[in-house]
Amino acid sequence: MAVVDEGLAPSGGGGGPVPEARWRMLLRFEVLVVLALSFGQSAVYSFVSIIAKLTAKQALNQQAAGLNASQSPRPWLDFTYQVLDLGFSVVIVALVAYLLMRENASLRTIGFDLTGGWRDWARGAVVAAGIGTAGLGLYVVAHALNLNATVIPTTLPDVWWRVPILVLDAFRNGVTEEVVVLGYLLRRFEQLGFSRNKSEVMSSLVRGSYHLYQGFGGFVGNFVMGMIFCRAYRRWGRVMPLVIAHGLIDTVTFVGWLYLAHYLGIPGAPK
């Protein structure tokens, strides 16, 4: 019976290697738990949300998909909720770090560290510019074709902490999504024996699925983004440039919505 070295998998009852079949079962269970606590859960809610939108009496592009909403009419309490949400949401990264350490790896193994310096920022900026521009065009077209809801990036009140919170939220998205959906999932899929192409498609499908609440344009756009990110990660061996790219894309989307979207003629933009 095939076994897996104890440095790569949980040990058997005696602390030694475990049968390969049991190791694969445990690894699948681990992936399901991580997804259930993070983006798999979001994907399920997103699926229910798009069904609700499609069965409503309004056209899809006449309905809103909101992000970064206010959580209290009292600004100081709203700020507290926003900070707590940011803090607790990154715990999933700590869980991934722990799971990697159990196999004698770390977040550095997937390239989530600061060793890349300016090179990571340069790569991230180039990727963000390309994907951000294409993504905006796709959204406008999908919205016009009634394939996407009107995405409202924020409804936070005009208070001093609005922009800092939006920037932190943008990079929170970058950290959590790229560490979990890119670095962690690709590693686990390949350990389970999936081919590179299958691993990349599955990772990108997960990414697209939890954006389905925005509409079919959101799903397709994020699936394509996922495939591009997977190829970039393969080439560079680091998630950090993609964390930066994701953070920059979301920062421009969130903050740009407040100050530029109206002038660009984006549907639903604040005046």
Side-chain angles (χ1 to χ4, degrees), residues 187-206:
R187 183 177 180 85
R188 286 297 185 255
F189 288 155
E190 291 184 4
Q191 287 173 335
L192 286 169
F194 300 157
S195 68
R196 283 197 165 194
N197 287 340
K198 184 177 180 180
S199 298
E200 291 172 6
V201 169
M202 290 181 67
S203 170
S204 300
L205 283 173
V206 171

Side-chain angles (χ1 to χ4, degrees), residues 124-139:
V126 170
V127 172
I131 291 183
T133 302
L136 175 60
L138 176 62
Y139 168 74

Side-chain angles (χ1 to χ4, degrees), residues 96-163:
V96 167
Y98 167 75
L99 294 171
L100 290 174
M101 286 189 290
R102 282 180 58 90
E103 58 170 296
N104 298 320
S106 68
L107 291 176
R108 178 169 288 187
T109 305
I110 62 174
F112 183 67
D113 56 39
L114 301 177
T115 60
W118 65 267
R119 185 178 287 106
D120 283 348
W121 281 94
R123 289 170 170 172
V126 170
V127 172
I131 291 183
T133 302
L136 175 60
L138 176 62
Y139 168 74
V140 172
V141 171
H143 189 274
L145 295 175
N146 193 34
L147 295 174
N148 222 79
T150 299
V151 178
I152 310 296
T154 181
T155 55
L156 290 177
D158 187 7
V159 289
W160 68 267
W161 48 262
R162 178 171 63 175
V163 170

